[in-house]
Amino acid sequence: MKTIDELLAEGVSGKRVFVRADLNVPLAGTTITDDGRIRAVQPTIAKLAAAGARVIVASHLGRPKGAPDPAFSLAPAAARLGELLGQDVAFATDTVGASAKETVAALTDGQVAVIENLRFNAGETAKDDAERGAFADQLAELADVYVGDGFGAVHRKHASVFDLPARLPHAAGYLIATEIAVLKQLTDEVKRPYVVILGGAKVSDKLAVIDQLLGKADRILIGGGMAYTFLYAKGYEVGISLLQKDQVDVVKEYMERAAKNGVELVLPVDILASTDFPDLKGKTPADFVTVDADKIPADKEGLDIGPKTRELYATKIADAETVFWNGPVGVFEHPDYAGGTSAIARALLNCDGFTVVGGGDSAAAVRTLGFDENAFGHISTGGGASLEYLEGKTLPGIAALEV
């Protein structure tokens, strides 16, 4: 895989360099609530611009249905990128139409432009190779060189991720190089004890990675909505908590394998539960209870790990040499149920090992709850991509850069 430093050594001055970034940031209207992904790709864009490239930045945002939708415009991201770069960033109001062509043609050496949301064109995400390839052909006309740096999208076989690199000289940006180096430390170069914390809503989203980690991790700590399927599999009642009954047999088999392989699979010992979430108006303290994990009331829903579990998990993390955390362990967006996720973040900060926050909601939680992201070993920009790498899958966007 060619690195961006090798590309820069060859010279990019005057060349149109297409940077596939991941600017898929959360928005409240037109206000960006977390600019972490924009800041993550800034070094690549800044270095290219400083070298005299004419930089064309492209990304998706959200899930528009293959047609323009103002709610998913990249205009706010383009504005924020300009602030971070300290220079004006042009914005094209389409992807491969008149605005994109005119905007790119107007660039001079060292200037940067962002084109509109790639998913406004159905060809970006098409399952049909020909349709996807046709869109990639149009994108290729805008540029001379391709730089892949949108790690959060490399597990997608999309036109700008998979097909476009085949049509242009290509290299990996700094972010992708960093992400891959980190993931190798979680798979091929692991220092032990290796502790994995998995949270999030659905156990089905994590089964494949648990399957792989049962042969690699020393401890797996389970939290979030997915924990209740594990607790149910142990014979516990879970009230009205999230539960995937169709996964119970698989979960039982994984618990048996963990015991056989000497992997410590740790489940919550107490739970913070409530009724009628998220409608909490008029609730009294009696509606918020901390109960043992095997005593969740029939009318209540588990929404966070309890204080005993927070202490237990902190002790399981304390001596780790490698830690990977993917998924909040409670409904961190609500202050009453953020305590468990905060406790996990603090435990990582108190650990002397290499700590990796695995993107997605985990990264958002770290920032939302006010933690210094620089205090962690690495915060990934791609939760889904990280998980698929750990599952042993081939990531299309990485494979395309390796050709």
Side-chain angles (χ1 to χ4, degrees):
M1 184 187 298
K2 179 183 283 188
T3 68
I4 189 170
D5 286 330
E6 291 172 326
L7 179 66
L8 290 164
E10 295 171 357
V12 294
S13 181
K15 292 184 178 180
R16 301 170 301 163
V17 180
F18 187 104
V19 178
R20 189 7 170 135
D22 180 8
L23 308 181
N24 185 27
V25 292
L27 295 172
T30 59
T31 300
I32 296 170
T33 58
D34 180 0
D35 67 354
R37 283 176 169 163
I38 304 177
R39 287 185 285 109
V41 77
Q42 178 194 352
T44 291
I45 296 169
K47 197 69 174 285
L48 287 166
R54 304 177 183 192
V55 186
I56 306 136
V57 182
S59 176
H60 69 289
L61 192 152
R63 297 180 181 274
K65 301 184 184 298
D69 183 339
F72 298 106
S73 175
L74 279 173
R80 180 58 180 147
L81 177 61
E83 293 172 354
L84 293 170
L85 292 172
Q87 68 180 78
D88 291 335
V89 169
F91 181 67
T93 56
D94 57 29
T95 55
V96 292
S99 180
K101 292 173 182 176
E102 292 168 6
T103 301
V104 171
L107 289 174
T108 59
D109 296 359
Q111 289 189 326
V112 179
V114 173
I115 63 174
E116 187 55 282
N117 192 336
L118 292 164
R119 292 184 183 175
F120 285 1
N121 189 304
E124 170 67 1
T125 59
K127 301 294 185 185
D128 181 75
D129 290 349
E131 184 180 355
R132 226 178 38 249
F135 183 50
D137 288 339
Q138 290 178 291
L139 291 172
E141 293 176 3
L142 298 174
D144 305 304
V145 180
Y146 177 93
V147 171
D149 215 27
F151 180 73
V154 293
H155 58 313
R156 305 296 187 191
K157 192 176 181 181
H158 290 170
S160 65
V161 175
F162 178 75
D163 302 273
L164 185 55
R167 289 156 168 78
L168 295 169
H170 50 267
Y174 292 121
L175 175 60
I176 278 186
T178 298
E179 295 273 14
I180 295 300
V182 166
L183 288 168
K184 286 183 177 178
Q185 292 185 64
L186 300 177
T187 50
D188 304 330
E189 305 159 8
V190 180
K191 293 182 179 179
R192 299 183 180 279
Y194 179 19
V195 177
V196 176
I197 307 110
L198 295 176
K202 294 182 178 180
V203 68
S204 56
D205 293 340
K206 301 294 197 308
L207 287 177
V209 74
I210 293 172
D211 182 58
Q212 287 293 315
L213 290 170
L214 285 174
K216 295 178 180 177
D218 296 299
R219 300 175 199 136
I220 302 175
L221 317 182
I222 303 295
M226 62 183 285
Y228 303 102
T229 301
F230 279 87
L231 294 174
Y232 188 87
K234 289 192 70 173
Y236 299 168
E237 290 300 327
V238 296
I240 55 172
S241 306
L242 285 174
L243 174 63
Q244 289 185 281
K245 285 189 176 181
D246 60 328
Q247 303 297 336
V248 169
D249 288 342
V250 178
V251 165
K252 285 181 178 178
E253 192 268 327
Y254 282 4
M255 289 193 290
E256 292 170 0
R257 276 178 54 201
K260 182 179 179 181
N261 293 350
V263 176
E264 196 176 355
L265 187 62
V266 188
L267 302 179
V269 294
D270 62 344
I271 296 294
L272 184 61
S274 181
T275 54
D276 298 330
F277 181 84
D279 182 15
L280 301 176
K281 292 180 181 179
K283 297 300 176 186
T284 67
D287 293 301
F288 304 85
V289 297
T290 299
V291 296
D292 291 343
D294 60 348
K295 294 182 175 64
I296 300 174
D299 65 338
K300 287 183 169 53
E301 176 181 6
L303 296 168
D304 197 7
I305 58 172
K308 292 179 184 177
T309 304
R310 297 170 198 179
E311 292 180 11
L312 172 65
Y313 284 12
T315 64
K316 298 297 183 182
I317 294 167
D319 67 342
E321 289 294 326
T322 306
V323 183
F324 175 70
W325 172 29
N326 182 279
V329 297
V331 186
F332 77 92
E333 298 91 344
H334 193 284
D336 289 326
Y337 309 110
T341 299
S342 290
I344 296 295
R346 283 194 297 273
L348 264 66
L349 294 179
N350 292 330
C351 173
D352 292 330
F354 180 55
T355 56
V356 179
V357 180
D361 287 340
S362 310
V366 164
R367 299 186 182 104
T368 299
L369 297 174
F371 290 95
D372 178 7
E373 57 192 288
N374 295 317
F376 299 89
H378 179 70
I379 296 183
S380 178
T381 57
S386 295
L387 286 177
E388 291 200 11
Y389 188 99
L390 293 180
E391 290 167 16
K393 291 183 179 179
T394 297
L395 305 183
I398 300 301
L401 294 173
E402 292 175 335
V403 177

